[in-house]
Coordinates of all heavy atoms in Angstrom, one line a residue:
G1 N 84.6 122.2 89.3 CA 84.5 121.5 90.6 C 85.9 121.2 91.2 O 86.9 121.5 90.6
I2 N 85.8 120.5 92.3 CA 87.1 120.0 93.0 C 87.1 118.5 92.9 O 86.2 117.8 93.1 CB 87.0 120.5 94.4 CG1 87.0 122.0 94.5 CG2 88.2 119.9 95.2 CD1 86.9 122.6 95.9
I3 N 88.3 118.0 92.6 CA 88.6 116.6 92.5 C 88.8 116.1 93.9 O 89.7 116.6 94.6 CB 89.8 116.2 91.6 CG1 89.6 116.7 90.2 CG2 90.0 114.7 91.6 CD1 88.4 116.1 89.4
I4 N 88.0 115.1 94.3 CA 88.2 114.5 95.7 C 88.2 112.9 95.5 O 87.9 112.4 94.5 CB 87.0 114.9 96.6 CG1 85.7 114.3 96.1 CG2 87.0 116.4 96.9 CD1 84.6 114.4 97.1
Q5 N 88.7 112.3 96.6 CA 88.6 110.8 96.7 C 87.7 110.5 97.8 O 87.8 111.1 98.9 CB 90.1 110.3 96.9 CG 90.2 108.9 96.5 CD 91.7 108.4 96.5 OE1 92.5 109.1 97.0 NE2 91.9 107.3 95.8
D6 N 86.8 109.5 97.6 CA 85.9 109.1 98.6 C 85.4 107.7 98.4 O 85.8 107.1 97.3 CB 84.7 110.1 98.6 CG 83.9 110.1 99.9 OD1 84.2 109.4 100.8 OD2 82.9 110.8 99.9
T7 N 84.6 107.1 99.2 CA 84.1 105.8 99.1 C 83.0 105.7 98.1 O 82.1 106.5 98.2 CB 83.7 105.2 100.5 OG1 84.8 105.3 101.4 CG2 83.3 103.8 100.4
F8 N 83.1 104.7 97.2 CA 82.0 104.5 96.2 C 81.4 103.2 96.6 O 82.0 102.2 97.0 CB 82.6 104.3 94.8 CG 81.6 103.9 93.8 CD1 80.7 104.8 93.3 CD2 81.5 102.6 93.5 CE1 79.8 104.4 92.3 CE2 80.5 102.2 92.5 CZ 79.7 103.1 92.0
G9 N 80.0 103.1 96.6 CA 79.3 101.9 96.9 C 79.4 101.5 98.3 O 79.4 100.3 98.6
K10 N 79.4 102.4 99.2 CA 79.5 102.1 100.7 C 78.5 101.1 101.1 O 77.3 101.2 100.8 CB 79.3 103.4 101.5 CG 79.8 103.3 102.9 CD 79.8 104.7 103.5 CE 80.7 104.6 104.7 NZ 81.3 105.9 105.1
G11 N 79.0 100.1 101.8 CA 78.1 99.0 102.4 C 77.8 97.9 101.4 O 77.0 97.0 101.7
T12 N 78.4 98.0 100.2 CA 78.1 96.9 99.2 C 79.4 96.1 98.9 O 80.4 96.5 99.3 CB 77.6 97.6 97.8 OG1 78.7 98.3 97.2 CG2 76.5 98.5 98.1
K13 N 79.2 95.1 98.1 CA 80.4 94.3 97.7 C 81.3 95.1 96.8 O 82.4 94.7 96.6 CB 79.9 93.0 97.0 CG 79.2 92.0 97.9 CD 79.0 90.7 97.2 CE 77.8 90.8 96.4 NZ 77.4 89.5 95.7
S14 N 80.8 96.1 96.2 CA 81.5 97.0 95.2 C 82.2 98.1 95.9 O 82.9 99.0 95.3 CB 80.6 97.5 94.2 OG 80.0 96.5 93.4
E15 N 82.2 98.2 97.3 CA 82.8 99.3 98.0 C 84.3 99.5 97.7 O 85.0 98.5 97.8 CB 82.5 99.2 99.5 CG 83.1 100.3 100.3 CD 82.7 100.2 101.8 OE1 81.7 99.7 102.1 OE2 83.6 100.6 102.6
H16 N 84.7 100.7 97.3 CA 86.1 101.0 97.1 C 86.3 102.5 97.0 O 85.4 103.2 96.9 CB 86.6 100.3 95.7 CG 85.9 100.9 94.5 ND1 84.7 100.5 94.1 CD2 86.3 101.9 93.7 CE1 84.4 101.2 93.0 NE2 85.4 102.0 92.7
Q17 N 87.6 102.9 97.1 CA 87.9 104.3 97.0 C 87.9 104.7 95.5 O 88.4 104.0 94.7 CB 89.3 104.6 97.6 CG 89.3 104.5 99.1 CD 88.5 105.6 99.7 OE1 88.8 106.8 99.5 NE2 87.5 105.3 100.5
S18 N 87.3 105.8 95.2 CA 87.1 106.3 93.9 C 87.3 107.8 93.8 O 87.3 108.5 94.8 CB 85.8 105.9 93.3 OG 85.7 106.1 91.9
F19 N 87.5 108.3 92.6 CA 87.6 109.7 92.4 C 86.3 110.3 92.1 O 85.5 109.7 91.3 CB 88.6 110.1 91.3 CG 90.1 110.0 91.8 CD1 90.7 108.7 91.9 CD2 90.8 111.1 92.2 CE1 92.0 108.7 92.3 CE2 92.1 111.0 92.6 CZ 92.7 109.8 92.7
F20 N 86.0 111.5 92.5 CA 84.8 112.2 92.3 C 85.1 113.7 91.9 O 86.1 114.2 92.3 CB 83.9 112.3 93.5 CG 83.3 111.0 94.0 CD1 84.1 110.1 94.7 CD2 82.0 110.6 93.7 CE1 83.7 108.9 95.2 CE2 81.5 109.4 94.1 CZ 82.3 108.5 94.9
I21 N 84.2 114.3 91.2 CA 84.2 115.8 91.1 C 83.1 116.3 91.9 O 82.0 115.8 91.8 CB 84.2 116.2 89.6 CG1 84.5 117.7 89.5 CG2 82.9 115.8 88.9 CD1 84.9 118.2 88.1
K22 N 83.3 117.3 92.6 CA 82.3 117.9 93.6 C 82.2 119.4 93.4 O 83.2 120.1 93.3 CB 82.7 117.5 95.0 CG 81.7 117.9 96.0 CD 82.2 117.5 97.4 CE 81.1 117.6 98.4 NZ 81.2 118.8 99.2
N23 N 81.0 119.8 93.4 CA 80.7 121.3 93.4 C 79.6 121.5 94.3 O 79.2 120.6 95.1 CB 80.5 121.9 92.0 CG 79.3 121.4 91.3 OD1 78.3 121.0 92.0 ND2 79.3 121.5 90.0
D24 N 79.0 122.7 94.3 CA 77.9 123.0 95.2 C 76.6 122.1 95.0 O 75.9 121.9 95.9 CB 77.4 124.4 95.1 CG 78.5 125.4 95.6 OD1 79.4 125.0 96.3 OD2 78.5 126.6 95.1
N25 N 76.5 121.6 93.8 CA 75.3 120.8 93.4 C 75.4 119.3 93.3 O 74.4 118.6 93.5 CB 74.7 121.4 92.1 CG 74.4 122.8 92.1 OD1 73.9 123.3 93.1 ND2 74.8 123.5 91.1
I26 N 76.6 118.9 93.0 CA 76.8 117.4 92.7 C 78.0 116.9 93.3 O 79.0 117.6 93.7 CB 76.8 117.1 91.2 CG1 78.0 117.8 90.6 CG2 75.5 117.5 90.6 CD1 78.4 117.1 89.3
K27 N 78.1 115.5 93.4 CA 79.3 114.8 93.7 C 79.2 113.6 92.8 O 78.4 112.7 93.0 CB 79.3 114.3 95.2 CG 80.5 113.5 95.5 CD 80.4 113.1 97.0 CE 81.2 111.9 97.3 NZ 81.0 111.4 98.7
Q28 N 80.0 113.6 91.7 CA 79.9 112.7 90.6 C 81.1 111.8 90.5 O 82.3 112.3 90.5 CB 79.7 113.4 89.3 CG 79.6 112.6 88.1 CD 78.4 111.6 88.1 OE1 77.3 112.0 88.3 NE2 78.7 110.4 87.8
V29 N 81.0 110.5 90.4 CA 82.1 109.6 90.2 C 82.7 109.8 88.8 O 81.9 110.1 87.9 CB 81.7 108.1 90.5 CG1 80.7 107.6 89.4 CG2 82.9 107.2 90.5
I30 N 84.0 109.8 88.8 CA 84.7 110.2 87.5 C 85.8 109.2 87.2 O 86.3 108.4 88.1 CB 85.3 111.6 87.5 CG1 86.3 111.7 88.7 CG2 84.2 112.6 87.6 CD1 87.1 113.0 88.7
K31 N 86.2 109.1 86.0 CA 87.4 108.4 85.5 C 88.0 109.2 84.4 O 87.3 110.0 83.7 CB 87.2 107.0 85.1 CG 86.4 106.8 83.8 CD 86.4 105.4 83.4 CE 86.0 105.3 81.9 NZ 86.2 104.0 81.4
F32 N 89.3 109.0 84.1 CA 89.9 109.7 83.0 C 90.0 108.7 81.8 O 90.4 107.6 82.0 CB 91.3 110.2 83.3 CG 91.9 111.2 82.4 CD1 91.7 112.5 82.5 CD2 92.6 110.7 81.3 CE1 92.1 113.4 81.6 CE2 93.1 111.6 80.3 CZ 92.9 113.0 80.5
E33 N 89.6 109.2 80.7 CA 89.5 108.3 79.5 C 90.8 107.6 79.3 O 91.9 108.2 79.2 CB 89.2 109.2 78.2 CG 89.0 108.4 77.0 CD 88.6 109.3 75.8 OE1 89.3 110.3 75.5 OE2 87.6 109.0 75.2
G34 N 90.7 106.2 79.2 CA 91.9 105.4 78.9 C 92.8 105.1 80.1 O 93.7 104.3 80.0
D35 N 92.4 105.7 81.3 CA 93.2 105.5 82.5 C 92.8 104.2 83.2 O 91.6 103.8 83.1 CB 93.0 106.6 83.4 CG 94.2 106.9 84.3 OD1 95.2 106.2 84.2 OD2 94.1 107.9 85.1
N36 N 93.7 103.5 83.8 CA 93.4 102.3 84.6 C 92.6 102.8 85.8 O 93.1 103.6 86.6 CB 94.6 101.6 85.1 CG 94.4 100.4 85.9 OD1 93.4 100.3 86.7 ND2 95.2 99.4 85.8
P37 N 91.3 102.4 86.0 CA 90.5 102.9 87.1 C 91.0 102.6 88.5 O 90.5 103.2 89.5 CB 89.1 102.3 86.8 CG 89.4 101.1 86.0 CD 90.6 101.4 85.2
F38 N 91.9 101.7 88.6 CA 92.5 101.3 89.9 C 93.7 102.1 90.2 O 94.2 102.1 91.3 CB 92.7 99.8 90.0 CG 91.5 99.0 89.9 CD1 91.1 98.4 88.7 CD2 90.6 98.9 90.9 CE1 89.9 97.7 88.6 CE2 89.4 98.2 90.8 CZ 89.1 97.6 89.6
E39 N 94.3 102.8 89.2 CA 95.5 103.6 89.4 C 95.2 105.1 89.3 O 95.7 105.8 90.1 CB 96.6 103.2 88.3 CG 97.1 101.8 88.5 CD 98.1 101.5 87.4 OE1 98.5 102.4 86.6 OE2 98.5 100.4 87.3
N40 N 94.4 105.5 88.4 CA 94.0 106.9 88.3 C 95.2 107.8 88.2 O 95.1 108.9 88.8 CB 93.0 107.3 89.4 CG 91.7 106.5 89.4 OD1 91.0 106.6 88.4 ND2 91.5 105.7 90.4
K41 N 96.2 107.4 87.4 CA 97.4 108.3 87.4 C 97.2 109.6 86.8 O 97.9 110.6 87.1 CB 98.5 107.5 86.6 CG 98.3 107.3 85.2 CD 99.5 106.6 84.5 CE 99.2 106.4 83.0 NZ 100.3 105.8 82.4
H42 N 96.2 109.8 85.9 CA 95.9 111.1 85.3 C 95.1 112.0 86.3 O 95.1 113.2 86.1 CB 95.1 111.0 84.0 CG 96.0 110.4 82.9 ND1 96.0 109.1 82.6 CD2 96.8 111.1 82.0 CE1 96.9 108.9 81.6 NE2 97.3 110.1 81.2
L43 N 94.4 111.4 87.3 CA 93.6 112.2 88.2 C 94.3 112.6 89.5 O 94.0 113.6 90.1 CB 92.3 111.5 88.5 CG 91.3 111.3 87.4 CD1 90.1 110.5 87.8 CD2 90.9 112.6 86.8
K44 N 95.3 111.7 89.9 CA 96.0 112.0 91.2 C 96.6 113.4 91.3 O 96.5 114.0 92.3 CB 97.0 110.9 91.4 CG 96.4 109.6 91.9 CD 97.5 108.5 92.1 CE 96.8 107.2 92.5 NZ 97.7 106.1 92.7
P45 N 97.2 113.9 90.2 CA 97.8 115.2 90.3 C 96.8 116.4 90.6 O 97.2 117.4 91.0 CB 98.5 115.5 89.0 CG 98.7 114.1 88.4 CD 97.5 113.3 88.9
F46 N 95.5 116.1 90.3 CA 94.5 117.1 90.5 C 93.7 116.9 91.8 O 92.7 117.7 92.1 CB 93.5 117.1 89.3 CG 94.2 117.4 88.0 CD1 94.6 116.4 87.1 CD2 94.4 118.7 87.7 CE1 95.2 116.7 85.9 CE2 95.0 119.1 86.5 CZ 95.4 118.0 85.6
L47 N 94.1 116.0 92.6 CA 93.4 115.7 93.9 C 93.3 117.0 94.8 O 94.4 117.6 95.0 CB 94.1 114.5 94.6 CG 93.3 114.0 95.8 CD1 91.9 113.5 95.5 CD2 94.1 112.9 96.5
D48 N 92.2 117.3 95.2 CA 91.9 118.5 96.1 C 92.2 119.8 95.4 O 92.4 120.8 96.0 CB 92.7 118.4 97.4 CG 92.3 117.2 98.2 OD1 91.1 116.9 98.3 OD2 93.2 116.6 98.8
K49 N 92.1 119.8 94.1 CA 92.3 121.0 93.3 C 91.0 121.4 92.5 O 90.3 120.5 92.2 CB 93.5 120.9 92.3 CG 94.8 120.7 93.1 CD 95.9 120.7 92.1 CE 97.2 120.5 93.0 NZ 98.4 120.4 92.1
K50 N 90.8 122.6 92.3 CA 89.7 123.1 91.5 C 90.0 122.9 90.0 O 91.1 123.3 89.6 CB 89.4 124.6 91.8 CG 88.1 125.1 91.2 CD 87.7 126.4 91.8 CE 86.4 126.8 91.2 NZ 85.9 128.0 91.8
V51 N 89.1 122.3 89.3 CA 89.4 122.0 87.9 C 88.2 122.4 87.0 O 87.1 122.5 87.4 CB 89.7 120.5 87.7 CG1 91.0 120.1 88.4 CG2 88.6 119.7 88.1
K52 N 88.6 122.4 85.7 CA 87.6 122.5 84.6 C 87.7 121.3 83.8 O 88.9 120.9 83.4 CB 87.8 123.8 83.7 CG 86.9 123.9 82.6 CD 87.2 125.1 81.8 CE 86.3 125.2 80.5 NZ 86.7 126.2 79.6
V53 N 86.6 120.6 83.5 CA 86.7 119.3 82.8 C 85.8 119.3 81.6 O 84.8 119.9 81.6 CB 86.4 118.1 83.7 CG1 87.4 118.0 84.8 CG2 85.0 118.1 84.2
D54 N 86.2 118.5 80.6 CA 85.3 118.1 79.5 C 85.2 116.6 79.5 O 86.2 115.9 79.9 CB 85.9 118.6 78.1 CG 86.0 120.1 77.9 OD1 85.1 120.7 78.5 OD2 86.9 120.5 77.2
G55 N 84.1 116.1 79.0 CA 83.9 114.6 79.0 C 82.5 114.2 78.6 O 81.7 115.0 78.1
V56 N 82.3 112.9 78.9 CA 81.0 112.3 78.5 C 80.4 111.5 79.7 O 81.2 110.8 80.4 CB 81.2 111.4 77.3 CG1 80.0 110.7 76.9 CG2 81.8 112.1 76.1
M57 N 79.1 111.6 79.9 CA 78.5 110.8 80.9 C 78.1 109.5 80.4 O 77.4 109.4 79.3 CB 77.2 111.6 81.4 CG 76.6 111.0 82.6 SD 77.6 111.4 84.0 CE 76.8 110.4 85.2
N58 N 78.6 108.4 81.0 CA 78.3 107.0 80.6 C 77.7 106.3 81.8 O 78.5 106.1 82.8 CB 79.5 106.3 80.2 CG 80.1 106.9 78.9 OD1 79.4 107.1 77.9 ND2 81.4 107.2 78.9
D59 N 76.4 106.0 81.8 CA 75.8 105.4 82.9 C 75.9 106.3 84.2 O 75.5 107.4 84.2 CB 76.3 103.9 83.2 CG 75.9 103.0 82.1 OD1 74.8 103.1 81.6 OD2 76.7 102.1 81.7
Y60 N 76.7 105.8 85.2 CA 76.9 106.6 86.4 C 78.3 107.2 86.5 O 78.6 107.8 87.5 CB 76.6 105.7 87.6 CG 77.5 104.5 87.7 CD1 78.7 104.6 88.5 CD2 77.2 103.3 87.1 CE1 79.5 103.5 88.6 CE2 78.0 102.2 87.2 CZ 79.2 102.3 88.0 OH 80.0 101.3 88.1
I61 N 79.1 107.0 85.5 CA 80.5 107.5 85.5 C 80.6 108.7 84.5 O 80.3 108.5 83.3 CB 81.5 106.4 85.3 CG1 81.4 105.3 86.3 CG2 82.9 107.0 85.2 CD1 82.3 104.1 86.0
F62 N 81.2 109.8 84.9 CA 81.6 110.8 84.0 C 83.0 110.6 83.6 O 84.0 110.5 84.4 CB 81.5 112.2 84.7 CG 81.7 113.3 83.7 CD1 80.8 113.7 82.8 CD2 83.0 114.0 83.7 CE1 81.0 114.8 82.0 CE2 83.2 115.1 82.8 CZ 82.2 115.4 81.9
T63 N 83.2 110.3 82.3 CA 84.5 110.0 81.7 C 85.1 111.3 81.2 O 84.6 112.0 80.3 CB 84.4 109.0 80.5 OG1 83.8 107.8 81.0 CG2 85.8 108.7 80.0
I64 N 86.3 111.7 81.8 CA 86.9 113.0 81.5 C 87.8 112.8 80.3 O 88.6 111.8 80.3 CB 87.7 113.5 82.7 CG1 86.8 113.8 83.8 CG2 88.6 114.7 82.3 CD1 87.4 114.2 85.2
T65 N 87.7 113.7 79.3 CA 88.6 113.7 78.2 C 89.6 114.8 78.2 O 90.7 114.7 77.6 CB 87.8 113.8 76.9 OG1 87.0 115.0 76.9 CG2 86.9 112.6 76.7
K66 N 89.3 115.8 79.0 CA 90.2 117.0 79.1 C 90.1 117.5 80.5 O 88.9 117.7 81.0 CB 89.9 118.0 78.1 CG 90.8 119.2 78.1 CD 90.4 120.2 77.1 CE 91.2 121.5 77.2 NZ 90.8 122.5 76.3
I67 N 91.2 117.9 81.2 CA 91.1 118.4 82.5 C 92.2 119.5 82.7 O 93.3 119.3 82.1 CB 91.3 117.3 83.6 CG1 91.1 117.9 85.0 CG2 92.7 116.6 83.5 CD1 91.0 116.8 86.1
E68 N 91.8 120.6 83.3 CA 92.8 121.6 83.6 C 92.5 122.3 84.9 O 91.4 122.4 85.3 CB 92.9 122.7 82.5 CG 91.6 123.5 82.3 CD 91.7 124.5 81.2 OE1 91.6 124.1 80.0 OE2 91.9 125.7 81.5
E69 N 93.6 122.6 85.6 CA 93.5 123.2 86.9 C 93.1 124.6 86.8 O 93.6 125.3 85.9 CB 94.8 123.1 87.7 CG 94.7 123.6 89.1 CD 96.0 123.5 89.9 OE1 97.0 122.9 89.4 OE2 96.1 124.0 91.0
I70 N 92.2 125.1 87.7 CA 91.8 126.5 87.7 C 92.6 127.1 88.9 O 92.5 126.7 90.0 CB 90.3 126.6 88.0 CG1 89.5 126.0 86.9 CG2 90.0 128.1 88.2 CD1 88.0 126.0 87.1
K71 N 93.5 128.0 88.5 CA 94.3 128.7 89.5 C 93.4 129.6 90.3 O 92.8 130.5 89.7 CB 95.5 129.4 88.9 CG 96.4 128.5 88.1 CD 97.2 127.6 89.0 CE 98.2 126.7 88.3 NZ 98.9 125.8 89.1
V72 N 93.4 129.5 91.6 CA 92.6 130.4 92.4 C 93.5 131.4 93.0 O 94.6 131.2 93.6 CB 92.0 129.6 93.6 CG1 91.2 130.5 94.5 CG2 91.1 128.5 93.1
T73 N 93.1 132.7 92.7 CA 93.9 133.8 93.2 C 93.2 134.4 94.4 O 91.9 134.4 94.4 CB 94.2 134.9 92.1 OG1 92.9 135.3 91.6 CG2 95.0 134.3 91.0
S74 N 93.9 134.9 95.3 CA 93.3 135.5 96.5 C 93.8 136.9 96.7 O 94.9 137.2 96.4 CB 93.7 134.6 97.7 OG 93.3 135.2 98.9
M75 N 92.9 137.7 97.3 CA 93.3 139.1 97.6 C 93.5 139.2 99.1 O 93.5 140.3 99.6 CB 92.3 140.1 97.1 CG 92.2 140.2 95.6 SD 91.1 141.5 95.0 CE 91.8 142.9 95.7
S76 N 93.6 138.1 99.8 CA 93.7 138.2 101.2 C 95.0 138.9 101.6 O 96.1 138.7 100.9 CB 93.7 136.8 101.9 OG 94.8 136.0 101.4
G77 N 95.0 139.7 102.5 CA 96.2 140.5 102.9 C 96.3 141.8 102.1 O 97.2 142.6 102.4
T78 N 95.5 142.0 101.2 CA 95.5 143.2 100.4 C 94.9 144.3 101.2 O 93.8 144.2 101.7 CB 94.8 143.1 99.1 OG1 95.4 142.0 98.3 CG2 94.9 144.4 98.2
I79 N 95.6 145.4 101.3 CA 95.0 146.6 102.0 C 94.6 147.7 101.0 O 95.5 148.1 100.2 CB 96.0 147.1 103.0 CG1 96.4 146.1 104.1 CG2 95.5 148.4 103.7 CD1 97.5 146.4 105.0
L80 N 93.4 148.0 101.1 CA 92.9 149.1 100.2 C 92.9 150.4 101.0 O 92.3 150.4 102.1 CB 91.6 148.8 99.6 CG 91.5 147.5 98.8 CD1 90.1 147.2 98.4 CD2 92.4 147.6 97.6
K81 N 93.4 151.4 100.5 CA 93.4 152.7 101.2 C 92.2 153.5 100.7 O 92.0 153.6 99.5 CB 94.7 153.5 100.9 CG 95.9 152.8 101.6 CD 97.1 153.7 101.4 CE 98.3 153.0 102.1 NZ 99.5 153.8 101.9
R82 N 91.5 154.1 101.6 CA 90.4 154.9 101.2 C 90.9 156.4 101.1 O 91.6 156.9 101.9 CB 89.4 154.9 102.4 CG 88.0 155.5 102.0 CD 87.0 155.5 103.1 NE 87.1 154.3 103.9 CZ 86.2 154.0 104.8 NH1 85.2 154.8 105.1 NH2 86.3 152.9 105.6
S83 N 90.5 157.0 100.0 CA 90.9 158.4 99.8 C 90.1 159.3 100.6 O 88.9 159.0 100.9 CB 90.8 158.7 98.3 OG 89.5 158.7 97.9
R84 N 90.7 160.3 101.2 CA 90.0 161.3 102.0 C 89.8 162.5 101.2 O 90.7 163.1 100.6 CB 90.8 161.6 103.2 CG 90.9 160.4 104.1 CD 91.7 160.8 105.4 NE 91.9 159.5 106.1 CZ 92.5 159.5 107.3 NH1 92.9 160.6 107.8 NH2 92.7 158.4 107.9
S85 N 88.6 163.0 101.1 CA 88.4 164.2 100.3 C 87.7 165.3 101.2 O 87.2 165.1 102.2 CB 87.5 164.0 99.1 OG 86.6 162.9 99.2

């Protein structure tokens, strides 16, 4: 998924900015194991990046124990030549 920052608990007393992992099917609130949830120093470097994570679901928060960036490669600008026979 992609790590994003968005509003959690919109319209409630608990409303605040939080980190989420998002893919085609879900948008799940996350935290990094042992990290201060108000600082998120382990998640900030991955903001807006595609990642692979391992972790545990606890109530409504997915606690990440391992995170790695997935390097996206692109073939844009590549010109393929068609052979003429």
